[in-house]
Amino acid sequence: MKQSMIGLENIQFHYDPGKTILNDLSLSVEKGSITAILGPNGTGKTTLLHTILGLLAPQAGEIWIAGKNIADYKRSELSQVMALVPQSEVVPFNFRVIEYVLLGRTPQLGFLDMPSEQDIELVRETLDLLEVSHLEQRAVTELSGGEQQMVVLARALVQQPQVLLRDEPTSHLDLSNKGRLLKILETLAQRGVTIVFSTHDPDAAAMIADHVILLKAGAVLDAGLIEKVLTSEKLTQTYGTEVKVLEIDGRLVTLLINGRFGKIEEVI
């Protein structure tokens, strides 16, 4: 566990006594991997991400980040190692895009330091990478949902994290933006960033993940390489309904079997 980029050992977490969310959960995430935390809604995926990030403290167990116990990090140090892109975010002020993304440099700056020209240049390079540089002077509150997701991702990336956590990254995106976003995550992994994302969509996991963690009722049902974990039997057990996994043109595709009507519907 200590040698992994992320290691969790026997994590127990509940918001209210008697209502366990994460139950004796252990897992390991390799450096530079793309890992999908896959499971149905309400199974603890978001809670798990917030626990990894240190926003929630477990009642039992240990968390290791880059070989160091999370308790030994200062909050500012942890923000230099990890960044989270939530499923949705409310922007309380009418920031321009460049101003909002520049907030991501805060963990890298000293107390009362102002952003440098290098910081601003990094912001512009990141906006260009995400193909949203044309939005630089737009107000964040005026953007579409897909544009806002890209801008929030840009803010996380300018932190220059070793680990990027994403909560349901493809939710509310059309097919074009979904494909573009997943390709960006692949590019980041190729640059050495460890990617961990939660999703209820097996096809999103199949498109880019090399490792999968199946989560059900706050416990790890199985974890490992995607070709060994993403199987018909294991997905059926995870979702409590019959799922078939096929290989089409060299990649895995998941199908939901609707026994009542005798039809096959693609999981979305």
Side-chain angles (χ1 to χ4, degrees):
M1 287 287 186
K2 296 179 184 180
Q3 302 307 314
S4 306
M5 178 56 75
I6 301 171
L8 276 67
E9 299 178 356
N10 308 118
I11 296 297
Q12 195 85 14
F13 180 84
H14 59 74
Y15 293 101
D16 301 308
K19 295 182 179 180
T20 300
I21 306 298
L22 302 178
N23 186 21
D24 196 29
L25 185 149
S26 297
L27 59 85
S28 177
V29 175
E30 296 181 14
K31 181 178 181 180
S33 65
I34 303 179
T35 299
I37 301 171
L38 186 62
N41 292 331
T43 196
K45 299 189 298 295
T46 299
T47 298
L48 175 56
L49 290 181
H50 288 175
T51 302
I52 293 172
L53 192 65
L55 296 178
L56 297 174
Q59 282 79 31
E62 291 188 321
I63 301 172
W64 296 84
I65 305 296
K68 183 177 176 180
N69 193 299
I70 197 170
D72 296 330
Y73 281 95
K74 296 179 181 178
R75 185 71 246 177
S76 59
E77 293 174 336
L78 204 55
S79 296
Q80 294 176 16
V81 177
M82 292 192 292
L84 169 70
V85 180
Q87 185 173 349
S88 61
E89 180 163 294
V90 176
V91 181
F93 303 107
N94 199 27
F95 287 109
R96 290 181 302 151
V97 166
I98 191 168
E99 296 167 337
Y100 178 75
V101 176
L102 199 52
L103 293 175
R105 294 300 296 159
T106 302
Q108 309 291 344
L109 301 177
F111 184 64
L112 296 180
D113 281 354
M114 295 294 290
S116 66
E117 287 297 324
Q118 288 77 17
D119 294 317
I120 295 171
E121 182 61 26
L122 175 62
V123 167
R124 289 190 165 131
E125 289 175 358
T126 304
L127 292 174
D128 187 56
L129 170 68
L130 301 184
E131 301 178 11
V132 290
S133 55
H134 60 287
L135 302 175
E136 180 181 307
Q137 298 301 321
R138 291 270 303 277
V140 177
T141 53
E142 296 175 358
L143 303 180
S144 69
E147 290 170 337
Q148 280 197 11
Q149 284 210 32
M150 289 297 179
V151 169
V152 174
L153 175 58
R155 190 195 64 179
L157 292 183
V158 299
Q159 290 180 225
Q160 298 182 306
Q162 298 176 48
V163 178
L164 179 66
L165 307 176
R166 289 231 48 179
D167 192 9
E168 297 285 357
T170 60
S171 64
H172 312 305
L173 292 181
D174 59 30
L175 288 177
S176 175
N177 280 319
K178 176 180 177 180
R180 184 159 66 98
L181 176 59
L182 293 176
K183 184 63 179 176
I184 288 168
L185 295 182
E186 274 190 314
T187 299
L188 293 172
Q190 291 166 3
R191 295 182 178 187
V193 180
T194 302
I195 309 289
V196 180
F197 69 97
S198 70
T199 182
H200 65 276
D201 180 359
D203 283 331
M207 284 182 71
I208 63 165
D210 42 51
H211 291 74
V212 176
I213 297 166
L214 296 181
L215 200 64
K216 185 174 184 180
V220 174
L221 205 60
D222 200 0
L225 293 172
I226 189 165
E227 59 267 23
K228 294 184 178 180
V229 175
L230 209 68
T231 67
S232 301
E233 179 183 0
K234 291 174 182 177
L235 287 184
T236 295
Q237 186 179 1
T238 300
Y239 288 94
T241 189
E242 189 177 357
V243 179
K244 183 176 287 293
V245 178
L246 305 175
E247 185 172 334
I248 300 177
D249 293 333
R251 79 174 185 91
L252 301 177
V253 176
T254 58
L255 301 172
L256 175 64
I257 309 301
N258 187 331
R260 181 180 177 186
F261 297 105
K263 297 190 297 183
I264 299 179
E265 300 174 357
E266 186 170 352
V267 175
I268 59 173

